[in-house]
Amino acid sequence: MQQDDPCRDARQAGVSCTGAAQLTATMIMAVGAVWTHARPSPAMLAATKQLDFVTTLRETVATLTAGTLARASA
């Protein structure tokens, strides 16, 4: 029985398996950070502008992915 290669999709996208793992870990960290800032405490909300979670997360993930792909192809 042939085992799946967990890095196959990453290599097809031009990213190393290590790069894919780093991108995934960074995305998870970004989700937590954006979620925290998108749902501020009442005091923080009074002091700052609230972020839109979906828009901010979409832009963050797109930037992280583009940067990872650019570094992989350099």
Side-chain angles (χ1 to χ4, degrees), residues 39-72:
R39 303 176 57 83
S41 67
M44 190 65 144
L45 183 57
T48 63
K49 179 184 133 189
Q50 185 175 7
L51 297 175
D52 176 62
F53 177 73
V54 174
T55 301
T56 303
L57 186 60
R58 183 180 293 127
E59 291 171 357
T60 301
V61 169
T63 301
L64 288 170
T65 303
T68 299
L69 291 172
R71 280 185 18 195

Side-chain angles (χ1 to χ4, degrees), residues 6 10 13-14 17 20 23 27-29 34 36 38 45 49-51 62-63 67 69 71-74:
C17 195
L23 176 62
M27 284 181 179
I28 291 168
M29 187 172 54
V34 172
T36 299
L45 183 57
K49 179 184 133 189
Q50 185 175 7
L51 297 175
T63 301
L69 291 172
R71 280 185 18 195
S73 65

